[in-house]
Amino acid sequence: MSQTAVGFIYPDHAAEDDYPYAAELLFASGEVRLEVTHIYGTDLHAVPELLDLGSPERLAAGAAQLAGLRPQAVVWACTSGSFVYGPDGAREQVRRLAVAAGVPASSTSFAFTRAAQSLGLERVAVAASYPQDVAGLFAEFLGAAGIEVLEMAGAGIDTAAEVGTLEREAVLDLAAANDRPEAEALLIPDTAMHTLRWIPDLEERLGKPVLTANQVTIWEGLRLVGHRAAHPALGTLFGA
């Protein structure tokens, strides 16, 4: 049986265990592998550091680490390290990653816009862990894709490492605090935040679709290889 592999370049360590969890739910027989490699820089949520983290040199190094695993697509699994470049810069970032990897590529920021568009979402709320200035850049990125952000307040968490320590109740409370009744969905943009195990709880509490960073990143990688997967534990986006 031929096996499909999707590669993910993940910055440092925080919530990368979301990926094997998703693989276990979606592909218990192993027909698709979700392969994660790591690159290292700062984990600060600050613009200069994020620009460095998403640099062509760092992503090319990540692509080289994945090469031996023969992925059919590669995704830069970092939201802030992609949207900080703006839409045009993020497109160039992905183009250069695709050249380095020799396969189709994307990033978590584009995963969010494509996932939202696939669900027909036009008006959303955002529960961001970032400082306000960085969170604002995500709202601008969504706006450029025709997605209106009705509510967003950055939680002001300075590092990805700290975000990775947030437990279930803190994540649910952050989501509820940033939702608005008129928003069609809530977006949680940080791949450093554990969310996959709590998506059903999030959607039940808010009564609407919730898109989270690692969730949409996995969905985008599967989209790139033409593979549709469904599981109710991964929320509306992975509905049948």
Side-chain angles (χ1 to χ4, degrees), residues 82-191:
S82 46
F83 69 67
V84 73
Y85 283 84
D88 291 340
R91 276 188 284 271
E92 177 64 11
Q93 181 187 59
V94 164
R95 185 194 70 78
R96 295 181 70 164
L97 176 56
V99 170
V103 295
S106 188
S107 70
T108 304
S109 292
F110 288 119
F112 267 112
T113 59
R114 291 186 180 118
Q117 290 162 353
S118 80
L119 295 177
L121 304 176
E122 296 180 350
R123 308 171 80 216
V124 303
V126 175
S129 56
Y130 317 121
Q132 192 64 32
D133 62 330
V134 174
L137 295 176
F138 183 55
E140 291 176 12
F141 192 94
L142 294 173
I147 301 165
E148 182 184 0
V149 175
L150 301 179
E151 175 69 22
M152 183 197 63
I157 301 176
D158 289 328
T159 68
E162 184 179 352
V163 172
T165 67
L166 296 177
E167 300 286 350
R168 174 183 175 277
E169 288 306 317
V171 173
L172 265 64
D173 288 347
L174 177 67
N178 286 277
D179 188 29
R180 287 295 174 270
E182 62 271 29
E184 298 164 333
L186 180 85
L187 278 54
I188 303 177
D190 197 340
T191 59

Side-chain angles (χ1 to χ4, degrees), residues 205-223:
R205 180 161 177 179
L206 301 183
K208 64 185 62 176
V210 175
L211 300 180
T212 78
N214 289 324
Q215 175 208 39
V216 300
T217 300
I218 293 163
W219 178 89
E220 176 75 344
L222 296 174
R223 185 193 69 81

Side-chain angles (χ1 to χ4, degrees), residues 52 62 98 105 131 138 164 191 201 227 232:
D52 176 69
F138 183 55
T191 59
D201 296 334
H227 196 105

